[in-house]
mmCIF file with all atom_site columns, all heavy atoms in Angstrom:
data_model
loop_
_atom_site.group_PDB
_atom_site.id
_atom_site.type_symbol
_atom_site.label_atom_id
_atom_site.label_alt_id
_atom_site.label_comp_id
_atom_site.label_asym_id
_atom_site.label_entity_id
_atom_site.label_seq_id
_atom_site.pdbx_PDB_ins_code
_atom_site.Cartn_x
_atom_site.Cartn_y
_atom_site.Cartn_z
_atom_site.occupancy
_atom_site.B_iso_or_equiv
_atom_site.pdbx_formal_charge
_atom_site.auth_seq_id
_atom_site.auth_comp_id
_atom_site.auth_asym_id
_atom_site.auth_atom_id
_atom_site.pdbx_PDB_model_num
ATOM 1   N N   . GLU A 1 1  ? 8.263   5.145   8.302   1.00 0.00 ? 882 GLU A N   1
ATOM 2   C CA  . GLU A 1 1  ? 8.352   3.842   8.966   1.00 0.00 ? 882 GLU A CA  1
ATOM 3   C C   . GLU A 1 1  ? 6.961   3.254   9.209   1.00 0.00 ? 882 GLU A C   1
ATOM 4   O O   . GLU A 1 1  ? 6.730   2.070   8.965   1.00 0.00 ? 882 GLU A O   1
ATOM 5   C CB  . GLU A 1 1  ? 9.105   3.973   10.286  1.00 0.00 ? 882 GLU A CB  1
ATOM 6   C CG  . GLU A 1 1  ? 9.236   2.670   11.048  1.00 0.00 ? 882 GLU A CG  1
ATOM 7   C CD  . GLU A 1 1  ? 9.998   1.580   10.310  1.00 0.00 ? 882 GLU A CD  1
ATOM 8   O OE1 . GLU A 1 1  ? 10.886  1.902   9.482   1.00 0.00 ? 882 GLU A OE1 1
ATOM 9   O OE2 . GLU A 1 1  ? 9.709   0.387   10.557  1.00 0.00 ? 882 GLU A OE2 1
ATOM 10  N N   . LYS A 1 2  ? 6.034   4.087   9.660   1.00 0.00 ? 883 LYS A N   1
ATOM 11  C CA  . LYS A 1 2  ? 4.657   3.612   9.909   1.00 0.00 ? 883 LYS A CA  1
ATOM 12  C C   . LYS A 1 2  ? 4.027   3.102   8.623   1.00 0.00 ? 883 LYS A C   1
ATOM 13  O O   . LYS A 1 2  ? 3.450   2.020   8.583   1.00 0.00 ? 883 LYS A O   1
ATOM 14  C CB  . LYS A 1 2  ? 3.810   4.734   10.495  1.00 0.00 ? 883 LYS A CB  1
ATOM 15  C CG  . LYS A 1 2  ? 2.376   4.323   10.773  1.00 0.00 ? 883 LYS A CG  1
ATOM 16  C CD  . LYS A 1 2  ? 1.551   5.507   11.238  1.00 0.00 ? 883 LYS A CD  1
ATOM 17  C CE  . LYS A 1 2  ? 0.119   5.137   11.533  1.00 0.00 ? 883 LYS A CE  1
ATOM 18  N NZ  . LYS A 1 2  ? -0.583  4.511   10.436  1.00 0.00 ? 883 LYS A NZ  1
ATOM 19  N N   . ARG A 1 3  ? 4.129   3.906   7.561   1.00 0.00 ? 884 ARG A N   1
ATOM 20  C CA  . ARG A 1 3  ? 3.522   3.511   6.290   1.00 0.00 ? 884 ARG A CA  1
ATOM 21  C C   . ARG A 1 3  ? 4.206   2.282   5.698   1.00 0.00 ? 884 ARG A C   1
ATOM 22  O O   . ARG A 1 3  ? 3.552   1.442   5.081   1.00 0.00 ? 884 ARG A O   1
ATOM 23  C CB  . ARG A 1 3  ? 3.572   4.665   5.289   1.00 0.00 ? 884 ARG A CB  1
ATOM 24  C CG  . ARG A 1 3  ? 2.813   5.889   5.726   1.00 0.00 ? 884 ARG A CG  1
ATOM 25  C CD  . ARG A 1 3  ? 1.354   5.596   5.905   1.00 0.00 ? 884 ARG A CD  1
ATOM 26  N NE  . ARG A 1 3  ? 0.675   6.783   6.392   1.00 0.00 ? 884 ARG A NE  1
ATOM 27  C CZ  . ARG A 1 3  ? -0.588  6.811   6.737   1.00 0.00 ? 884 ARG A CZ  1
ATOM 28  N NH1 . ARG A 1 3  ? -1.320  5.728   6.662   1.00 0.00 ? 884 ARG A NH1 1
ATOM 29  N NH2 . ARG A 1 3  ? -1.126  7.915   7.170   1.00 0.00 ? 884 ARG A NH2 1
ATOM 30  N N   . THR A 1 4  ? 5.513   2.171   5.889   1.00 0.00 ? 885 THR A N   1
ATOM 31  C CA  . THR A 1 4  ? 6.239   0.991   5.411   1.00 0.00 ? 885 THR A CA  1
ATOM 32  C C   . THR A 1 4  ? 5.711   -0.265  6.089   1.00 0.00 ? 885 THR A C   1
ATOM 33  O O   . THR A 1 4  ? 5.489   -1.298  5.445   1.00 0.00 ? 885 THR A O   1
ATOM 34  C CB  . THR A 1 4  ? 7.752   1.148   5.670   1.00 0.00 ? 885 THR A CB  1
ATOM 35  O OG1 . THR A 1 4  ? 8.221   2.275   4.923   1.00 0.00 ? 885 THR A OG1 1
ATOM 36  C CG2 . THR A 1 4  ? 8.527   -0.085  5.248   1.00 0.00 ? 885 THR A CG2 1
ATOM 37  N N   . ARG A 1 5  ? 5.474   -0.166  7.384   1.00 0.00 ? 886 ARG A N   1
ATOM 38  C CA  . ARG A 1 5  ? 4.915   -1.313  8.119   1.00 0.00 ? 886 ARG A CA  1
ATOM 39  C C   . ARG A 1 5  ? 3.501   -1.626  7.660   1.00 0.00 ? 886 ARG A C   1
ATOM 40  O O   . ARG A 1 5  ? 3.128   -2.798  7.541   1.00 0.00 ? 886 ARG A O   1
ATOM 41  C CB  . ARG A 1 5  ? 4.948   -1.040  9.620   1.00 0.00 ? 886 ARG A CB  1
ATOM 42  C CG  . ARG A 1 5  ? 6.354   -1.026  10.173  1.00 0.00 ? 886 ARG A CG  1
ATOM 43  C CD  . ARG A 1 5  ? 6.371   -0.702  11.635  1.00 0.00 ? 886 ARG A CD  1
ATOM 44  N NE  . ARG A 1 5  ? 7.752   -0.526  12.083  1.00 0.00 ? 886 ARG A NE  1
ATOM 45  C CZ  . ARG A 1 5  ? 8.152   -0.715  13.312  1.00 0.00 ? 886 ARG A CZ  1
ATOM 46  N NH1 . ARG A 1 5  ? 7.285   -1.064  14.255  1.00 0.00 ? 886 ARG A NH1 1
ATOM 47  N NH2 . ARG A 1 5  ? 9.411   -0.528  13.641  1.00 0.00 ? 886 ARG A NH2 1
ATOM 48  N N   . ASP A 1 6  ? 2.712   -0.583  7.395   1.00 0.00 ? 887 ASP A N   1
ATOM 49  C CA  . ASP A 1 6  ? 1.345   -0.799  6.887   1.00 0.00 ? 887 ASP A CA  1
ATOM 50  C C   . ASP A 1 6  ? 1.384   -1.540  5.549   1.00 0.00 ? 887 ASP A C   1
ATOM 51  O O   . ASP A 1 6  ? 0.608   -2.479  5.321   1.00 0.00 ? 887 ASP A O   1
ATOM 52  C CB  . ASP A 1 6  ? 0.614   0.533   6.705   1.00 0.00 ? 887 ASP A CB  1
ATOM 53  C CG  . ASP A 1 6  ? 0.276   1.230   8.004   1.00 0.00 ? 887 ASP A CG  1
ATOM 54  O OD1 . ASP A 1 6  ? 0.338   0.587   9.072   1.00 0.00 ? 887 ASP A OD1 1
ATOM 55  O OD2 . ASP A 1 6  ? -0.036  2.443   7.951   1.00 0.00 ? 887 ASP A OD2 1
ATOM 56  N N   . ILE A 1 7  ? 2.276   -1.127  4.662   1.00 0.00 ? 888 ILE A N   1
ATOM 57  C CA  . ILE A 1 7  ? 2.386   -1.757  3.345   1.00 0.00 ? 888 ILE A CA  1
ATOM 58  C C   . ILE A 1 7  ? 2.844   -3.203  3.486   1.00 0.00 ? 888 ILE A C   1
ATOM 59  O O   . ILE A 1 7  ? 2.324   -4.104  2.816   1.00 0.00 ? 888 ILE A O   1
ATOM 60  C CB  . ILE A 1 7  ? 3.335   -0.957  2.434   1.00 0.00 ? 888 ILE A CB  1
ATOM 61  C CG1 . ILE A 1 7  ? 2.682   0.381   2.067   1.00 0.00 ? 888 ILE A CG1 1
ATOM 62  C CG2 . ILE A 1 7  ? 3.694   -1.743  1.180   1.00 0.00 ? 888 ILE A CG2 1
ATOM 63  C CD1 . ILE A 1 7  ? 3.611   1.373   1.410   1.00 0.00 ? 888 ILE A CD1 1
ATOM 64  N N   . THR A 1 8  ? 3.798   -3.437  4.363   1.00 0.00 ? 889 THR A N   1
ATOM 65  C CA  . THR A 1 8  ? 4.300   -4.792  4.577   1.00 0.00 ? 889 THR A CA  1
ATOM 66  C C   . THR A 1 8  ? 3.190   -5.722  5.059   1.00 0.00 ? 889 THR A C   1
ATOM 67  O O   . THR A 1 8  ? 3.172   -6.907  4.716   1.00 0.00 ? 889 THR A O   1
ATOM 68  C CB  . THR A 1 8  ? 5.466   -4.779  5.593   1.00 0.00 ? 889 THR A CB  1
ATOM 69  O OG1 . THR A 1 8  ? 6.505   -3.964  5.063   1.00 0.00 ? 889 THR A OG1 1
ATOM 70  C CG2 . THR A 1 8  ? 6.012   -6.169  5.845   1.00 0.00 ? 889 THR A CG2 1
ATOM 71  N N   . ALA A 1 9  ? 2.246   -5.188  5.808   1.00 0.00 ? 890 ALA A N   1
ATOM 72  C CA  . ALA A 1 9  ? 1.159   -5.994  6.369   1.00 0.00 ? 890 ALA A CA  1
ATOM 73  C C   . ALA A 1 9  ? 0.072   -6.327  5.346   1.00 0.00 ? 890 ALA A C   1
ATOM 74  O O   . ALA A 1 9  ? -0.764  -7.204  5.597   1.00 0.00 ? 890 ALA A O   1
ATOM 75  C CB  . ALA A 1 9  ? 0.548   -5.277  7.566   1.00 0.00 ? 890 ALA A CB  1
ATOM 76  N N   . ILE A 1 10 ? 0.051   -5.670  4.194   1.00 0.00 ? 891 ILE A N   1
ATOM 77  C CA  . ILE A 1 10 ? -0.994  -5.905  3.197   1.00 0.00 ? 891 ILE A CA  1
ATOM 78  C C   . ILE A 1 10 ? -0.807  -7.287  2.573   1.00 0.00 ? 891 ILE A C   1
ATOM 79  O O   . ILE A 1 10 ? 0.262   -7.628  2.093   1.00 0.00 ? 891 ILE A O   1
ATOM 80  C CB  . ILE A 1 10 ? -0.969  -4.823  2.098   1.00 0.00 ? 891 ILE A CB  1
ATOM 81  C CG1 . ILE A 1 10 ? -1.336  -3.467  2.685   1.00 0.00 ? 891 ILE A CG1 1
ATOM 82  C CG2 . ILE A 1 10 ? -1.923  -5.193  0.960   1.00 0.00 ? 891 ILE A CG2 1
ATOM 83  C CD1 . ILE A 1 10 ? -1.198  -2.308  1.701   1.00 0.00 ? 891 ILE A CD1 1
ATOM 84  N N   . THR A 1 11 ? -1.880  -8.059  2.589   1.00 0.00 ? 892 THR A N   1
ATOM 85  C CA  . THR A 1 11 ? -1.857  -9.376  1.959   1.00 0.00 ? 892 THR A CA  1
ATOM 86  C C   . THR A 1 11 ? -2.818  -9.455  0.778   1.00 0.00 ? 892 THR A C   1
ATOM 87  O O   . THR A 1 11 ? -2.733  -10.374 -0.022  1.00 0.00 ? 892 THR A O   1
ATOM 88  C CB  . THR A 1 11 ? -2.214  -10.483 2.972   1.00 0.00 ? 892 THR A CB  1
ATOM 89  O OG1 . THR A 1 11 ? -3.502  -10.215 3.522   1.00 0.00 ? 892 THR A OG1 1
ATOM 90  C CG2 . THR A 1 11 ? -1.178  -10.552 4.092   1.00 0.00 ? 892 THR A CG2 1
ATOM 91  N N   . ASP A 1 12 ? -3.704  -8.492  0.658   1.00 0.00 ? 893 ASP A N   1
ATOM 92  C CA  . ASP A 1 12 ? -4.686  -8.450  -0.423  1.00 0.00 ? 893 ASP A CA  1
ATOM 93  C C   . ASP A 1 12 ? -4.065  -7.750  -1.635  1.00 0.00 ? 893 ASP A C   1
ATOM 94  O O   . ASP A 1 12 ? -3.715  -6.564  -1.570  1.00 0.00 ? 893 ASP A O   1
ATOM 95  C CB  . ASP A 1 12 ? -5.922  -7.693  0.057   1.00 0.00 ? 893 ASP A CB  1
ATOM 96  C CG  . ASP A 1 12 ? -7.028  -7.607  -0.979  1.00 0.00 ? 893 ASP A CG  1
ATOM 97  O OD1 . ASP A 1 12 ? -6.769  -7.819  -2.182  1.00 0.00 ? 893 ASP A OD1 1
ATOM 98  O OD2 . ASP A 1 12 ? -8.165  -7.313  -0.584  1.00 0.00 ? 893 ASP A OD2 1
ATOM 99  N N   . VAL A 1 13 ? -3.925  -8.469  -2.730  1.00 0.00 ? 894 VAL A N   1
ATOM 100 C CA  . VAL A 1 13 ? -3.289  -7.922  -3.929  1.00 0.00 ? 894 VAL A CA  1
ATOM 101 C C   . VAL A 1 13 ? -4.061  -6.717  -4.460  1.00 0.00 ? 894 VAL A C   1
ATOM 102 O O   . VAL A 1 13 ? -3.456  -5.721  -4.863  1.00 0.00 ? 894 VAL A O   1
ATOM 103 C CB  . VAL A 1 13 ? -3.150  -9.003  -5.025  1.00 0.00 ? 894 VAL A CB  1
ATOM 104 C CG1 . VAL A 1 13 ? -2.658  -8.406  -6.330  1.00 0.00 ? 894 VAL A CG1 1
ATOM 105 C CG2 . VAL A 1 13 ? -2.219  -10.111 -4.564  1.00 0.00 ? 894 VAL A CG2 1
ATOM 106 N N   . GLN A 1 14 ? -5.370  -6.755  -4.447  1.00 0.00 ? 895 GLN A N   1
ATOM 107 C CA  . GLN A 1 14 ? -6.159  -5.634  -4.953  1.00 0.00 ? 895 GLN A CA  1
ATOM 108 C C   . GLN A 1 14 ? -5.946  -4.386  -4.097  1.00 0.00 ? 895 GLN A C   1
ATOM 109 O O   . GLN A 1 14 ? -5.874  -3.275  -4.608  1.00 0.00 ? 895 GLN A O   1
ATOM 110 C CB  . GLN A 1 14 ? -7.632  -6.004  -5.027  1.00 0.00 ? 895 GLN A CB  1
ATOM 111 C CG  . GLN A 1 14 ? -7.930  -6.999  -6.137  1.00 0.00 ? 895 GLN A CG  1
ATOM 112 C CD  . GLN A 1 14 ? -9.397  -7.373  -6.211  1.00 0.00 ? 895 GLN A CD  1
ATOM 113 O OE1 . GLN A 1 14 ? -10.115 -7.306  -5.227  1.00 0.00 ? 895 GLN A OE1 1
ATOM 114 N NE2 . GLN A 1 14 ? -9.816  -7.783  -7.398  1.00 0.00 ? 895 GLN A NE2 1
ATOM 115 N N   . GLN A 1 15 ? -5.850  -4.581  -2.801  1.00 0.00 ? 896 GLN A N   1
ATOM 116 C CA  . GLN A 1 15 ? -5.590  -3.454  -1.907  1.00 0.00 ? 896 GLN A CA  1
ATOM 117 C C   . GLN A 1 15 ? -4.200  -2.867  -2.193  1.00 0.00 ? 896 GLN A C   1
ATOM 118 O O   . GLN A 1 15 ? -4.022  -1.659  -2.246  1.00 0.00 ? 896 GLN A O   1
ATOM 119 C CB  . GLN A 1 15 ? -5.678  -3.907  -0.446  1.00 0.00 ? 896 GLN A CB  1
ATOM 120 C CG  . GLN A 1 15 ? -5.521  -2.795  0.559   1.00 0.00 ? 896 GLN A CG  1
ATOM 121 C CD  . GLN A 1 15 ? -5.583  -3.294  1.996   1.00 0.00 ? 896 GLN A CD  1
ATOM 122 O OE1 . GLN A 1 15 ? -5.651  -4.487  2.253   1.00 0.00 ? 896 GLN A OE1 1
ATOM 123 N NE2 . GLN A 1 15 ? -5.546  -2.369  2.921   1.00 0.00 ? 896 GLN A NE2 1
ATOM 124 N N   . LEU A 1 16 ? -3.230  -3.738  -2.416  1.00 0.00 ? 897 LEU A N   1
ATOM 125 C CA  . LEU A 1 16 ? -1.875  -3.284  -2.737  1.00 0.00 ? 897 LEU A CA  1
ATOM 126 C C   . LEU A 1 16 ? -1.839  -2.555  -4.080  1.00 0.00 ? 897 LEU A C   1
ATOM 127 O O   . LEU A 1 16 ? -1.177  -1.525  -4.226  1.00 0.00 ? 897 LEU A O   1
ATOM 128 C CB  . LEU A 1 16 ? -0.914  -4.472  -2.741  1.00 0.00 ? 897 LEU A CB  1
ATOM 129 C CG  . LEU A 1 16 ? 0.568   -4.149  -2.890  1.00 0.00 ? 897 LEU A CG  1
ATOM 130 C CD1 . LEU A 1 16 ? 1.048   -3.209  -1.802  1.00 0.00 ? 897 LEU A CD1 1
ATOM 131 C CD2 . LEU A 1 16 ? 1.381   -5.430  -2.896  1.00 0.00 ? 897 LEU A CD2 1
ATOM 132 N N   . GLN A 1 17 ? -2.587  -3.049  -5.057  1.00 0.00 ? 898 GLN A N   1
ATOM 133 C CA  . GLN A 1 17 ? -2.654  -2.384  -6.357  1.00 0.00 ? 898 GLN A CA  1
ATOM 134 C C   . GLN A 1 17 ? -3.277  -0.995  -6.222  1.00 0.00 ? 898 GLN A C   1
ATOM 135 O O   . GLN A 1 17 ? -2.786  -0.027  -6.819  1.00 0.00 ? 898 GLN A O   1
ATOM 136 C CB  . GLN A 1 17 ? -3.457  -3.223  -7.346  1.00 0.00 ? 898 GLN A CB  1
ATOM 137 C CG  . GLN A 1 17 ? -2.729  -4.467  -7.804  1.00 0.00 ? 898 GLN A CG  1
ATOM 138 C CD  . GLN A 1 17 ? -3.609  -5.369  -8.651  1.00 0.00 ? 898 GLN A CD  1
ATOM 139 O OE1 . GLN A 1 17 ? -4.840  -5.337  -8.574  1.00 0.00 ? 898 GLN A OE1 1
ATOM 140 N NE2 . GLN A 1 17 ? -2.971  -6.203  -9.470  1.00 0.00 ? 898 GLN A NE2 1
ATOM 141 N N   . ALA A 1 18 ? -4.343  -0.882  -5.455  1.00 0.00 ? 899 ALA A N   1
ATOM 142 C CA  . ALA A 1 18 ? -5.004  0.408   -5.263  1.00 0.00 ? 899 ALA A CA  1
ATOM 143 C C   . ALA A 1 18 ? -4.064  1.397   -4.574  1.00 0.00 ? 899 ALA A C   1
ATOM 144 O O   . ALA A 1 18 ? -3.971  2.567   -4.974  1.00 0.00 ? 899 ALA A O   1
ATOM 145 C CB  . ALA A 1 18 ? -6.280  0.233   -4.439  1.00 0.00 ? 899 ALA A CB  1
ATOM 146 N N   . LEU A 1 19 ? -3.356  0.927   -3.566  1.00 0.00 ? 900 LEU A N   1
ATOM 147 C CA  . LEU A 1 19 ? -2.401  1.780   -2.870  1.00 0.00 ? 900 LEU A CA  1
ATOM 148 C C   . LEU A 1 19 ? -1.293  2.241   -3.810  1.00 0.00 ? 900 LEU A C   1
ATOM 149 O O   . LEU A 1 19 ? -0.907  3.414   -3.821  1.00 0.00 ? 900 LEU A O   1
ATOM 150 C CB  . LEU A 1 19 ? -1.803  1.042   -1.672  1.00 0.00 ? 900 LEU A CB  1
ATOM 151 C CG  . LEU A 1 19 ? -0.711  1.782   -0.910  1.00 0.00 ? 900 LEU A CG  1
ATOM 152 C CD1 . LEU A 1 19 ? -1.247  3.066   -0.304  1.00 0.00 ? 900 LEU A CD1 1
ATOM 153 C CD2 . LEU A 1 19 ? -0.118  0.881   0.154   1.00 0.00 ? 900 LEU A CD2 1
ATOM 154 N N   . THR A 1 20 ? -0.798  1.340   -4.627  1.00 0.00 ? 901 THR A N   1
ATOM 155 C CA  . THR A 1 20 ? 0.254   1.671   -5.582  1.00 0.00 ? 901 THR A CA  1
ATOM 156 C C   . THR A 1 20 ? -0.214  2.736   -6.565  1.00 0.00 ? 901 THR A C   1
ATOM 157 O O   . THR A 1 20 ? 0.516   3.693   -6.862  1.00 0.00 ? 901 THR A O   1
ATOM 158 C CB  . THR A 1 20 ? 0.714   0.406   -6.331  1.00 0.00 ? 901 THR A CB  1
ATOM 159 O OG1 . THR A 1 20 ? 1.156   -0.558  -5.370  1.00 0.00 ? 901 THR A OG1 1
ATOM 160 C CG2 . THR A 1 20 ? 1.833   0.710   -7.302  1.00 0.00 ? 901 THR A CG2 1
ATOM 161 N N   . LYS A 1 21 ? -1.431  2.604   -7.053  1.00 0.00 ? 902 LYS A N   1
ATOM 162 C CA  . LYS A 1 21 ? -1.973  3.599   -7.981  1.00 0.00 ? 902 LYS A CA  1
ATOM 163 C C   . LYS A 1 21 ? -2.101  4.953   -7.302  1.00 0.00 ? 902 LYS A C   1
ATOM 164 O O   . LYS A 1 21 ? -1.786  5.988   -7.901  1.00 0.00 ? 902 LYS A O   1
ATOM 165 C CB  . LYS A 1 21 ? -3.324  3.132   -8.524  1.00 0.00 ? 902 LYS A CB  1
ATOM 166 C CG  . LYS A 1 21 ? -3.200  1.954   -9.468  1.00 0.00 ? 902 LYS A CG  1
ATOM 167 C CD  . LYS A 1 21 ? -4.570  1.434   -9.862  1.00 0.00 ? 902 LYS A CD  1
ATOM 168 C CE  . LYS A 1 21 ? -4.457  0.176   -10.701 1.00 0.00 ? 902 LYS A CE  1
ATOM 169 N NZ  . LYS A 1 21 ? -5.778  -0.365  -11.063 1.00 0.00 ? 902 LYS A NZ  1
ATOM 170 N N   . ASP A 1 22 ? -2.552  4.967   -6.050  1.00 0.00 ? 903 ASP A N   1
ATOM 171 C CA  . ASP A 1 22 ? -2.658  6.219   -5.296  1.00 0.00 ? 903 ASP A CA  1
ATOM 172 C C   . ASP A 1 22 ? -1.281  6.860   -5.119  1.00 0.00 ? 903 ASP A C   1
ATOM 173 O O   . ASP A 1 22 ? -1.125  8.077   -5.257  1.00 0.00 ? 903 ASP A O   1
ATOM 174 C CB  . ASP A 1 22 ? -3.286  5.985   -3.921  1.00 0.00 ? 903 ASP A CB  1
ATOM 175 C CG  . ASP A 1 22 ? -4.761  5.628   -3.992  1.00 0.00 ? 903 ASP A CG  1
ATOM 176 O OD1 . ASP A 1 22 ? -5.397  5.848   -5.049  1.00 0.00 ? 903 ASP A OD1 1
ATOM 177 O OD2 . ASP A 1 22 ? -5.281  5.123   -2.973  1.00 0.00 ? 903 ASP A OD2 1
ATOM 178 N N   . LEU A 1 23 ? -0.275  6.056   -4.804  1.00 0.00 ? 904 LEU A N   1
ATOM 179 C CA  . LEU A 1 23 ? 1.077   6.577   -4.616  1.00 0.00 ? 904 LEU A CA  1
ATOM 180 C C   . LEU A 1 23 ? 1.654   7.122   -5.918  1.00 0.00 ? 904 LEU A C   1
ATOM 181 O O   . LEU A 1 23 ? 2.323   8.166   -5.923  1.00 0.00 ? 904 LEU A O   1
ATOM 182 C CB  . LEU A 1 23 ? 1.990   5.488   -4.050  1.00 0.00 ? 904 LEU A CB  1
ATOM 183 C CG  . LEU A 1 23 ? 1.716   5.091   -2.601  1.00 0.00 ? 904 LEU A CG  1
ATOM 184 C CD1 . LEU A 1 23 ? 2.539   3.869   -2.222  1.00 0.00 ? 904 LEU A CD1 1
ATOM 185 C CD2 . LEU A 1 23 ? 1.985   6.247   -1.663  1.00 0.00 ? 904 LEU A CD2 1
ATOM 186 N N   . LEU A 1 24 ? 1.402   6.434   -7.026  1.00 0.00 ? 905 LEU A N   1
ATOM 187 C CA  . LEU A 1 24 ? 1.871   6.931   -8.321  1.00 0.00 ? 905 LEU A CA  1
ATOM 188 C C   . LEU A 1 24 ? 1.240   8.278   -8.657  1.00 0.00 ? 905 LEU A C   1
ATOM 189 O O   . LEU A 1 24 ? 1.918   9.193   -9.140  1.00 0.00 ? 905 LEU A O   1
ATOM 190 C CB  . LEU A 1 24 ? 1.572   5.918   -9.424  1.00 0.00 ? 905 LEU A CB  1
ATOM 191 C CG  . LEU A 1 24 ? 2.491   4.707   -9.482  1.00 0.00 ? 905 LEU A CG  1
ATOM 192 C CD1 . LEU A 1 24 ? 1.939   3.672   -10.457 1.00 0.00 ? 905 LEU A CD1 1
ATOM 193 C CD2 . LEU A 1 24 ? 3.892   5.121   -9.875  1.00 0.00 ? 905 LEU A CD2 1
ATOM 194 N N   . LEU A 1 25 ? -0.043  8.417   -8.391  1.00 0.00 ? 906 LEU A N   1
ATOM 195 C CA  . LEU A 1 25 ? -0.732  9.678   -8.644  1.00 0.00 ? 906 LEU A CA  1
ATOM 196 C C   . LEU A 1 25 ? -0.153  10.781  -7.754  1.00 0.00 ? 906 LEU A C   1
ATOM 197 O O   . LEU A 1 25 ? 0.149   11.882  -8.235  1.00 0.00 ? 906 LEU A O   1
ATOM 198 C CB  . LEU A 1 25 ? -2.236  9.531   -8.405  1.00 0.00 ? 906 LEU A CB  1
ATOM 199 C CG  . LEU A 1 25 ? -3.051  10.808  -8.539  1.00 0.00 ? 906 LEU A CG  1
ATOM 200 C CD1 . LEU A 1 25 ? -2.904  11.417  -9.937  1.00 0.00 ? 906 LEU A CD1 1
ATOM 201 C CD2 . LEU A 1 25 ? -4.513  10.534  -8.207  1.00 0.00 ? 906 LEU A CD2 1
ATOM 202 N N   . ALA A 1 26 ? 0.037   10.494  -6.469  1.00 0.00 ? 907 ALA A N   1
ATOM 203 C CA  . ALA A 1 26 ? 0.588   11.489  -5.545  1.00 0.00 ? 907 ALA A CA  1
ATOM 204 C C   . ALA A 1 26 ? 1.991   11.904  -5.972  1.00 0.00 ? 907 ALA A C   1
ATOM 205 O O   . ALA A 1 26 ? 2.354   13.086  -5.893  1.00 0.00 ? 907 ALA A O   1
ATOM 206 C CB  . ALA A 1 26 ? 0.603   10.938  -4.124  1.00 0.00 ? 907 ALA A CB  1
#
């Protein structure tokens, strides 16, 4: 729930892309 809220708050596309790449690797 915490991480879902953190992701929802992201407005920077590059930050969201970096997070997505990290999640795919994990």
Side-chain angles (χ1 to χ4, degrees):
E882 180 61 29
K883 180 185 180 304
R884 298 299 177 185
T885 297
R886 291 178 187 206
D887 291 345
I888 291 168
T889 300
I891 294 174
T892 58
D893 181 342
V894 173
Q895 289 180 334
Q896 184 181 5
L897 187 57
Q898 288 173 336
L900 176 62
T901 303
K902 290 174 185 178
D903 290 344
L904 290 172
L905 284 170
L906 176 59

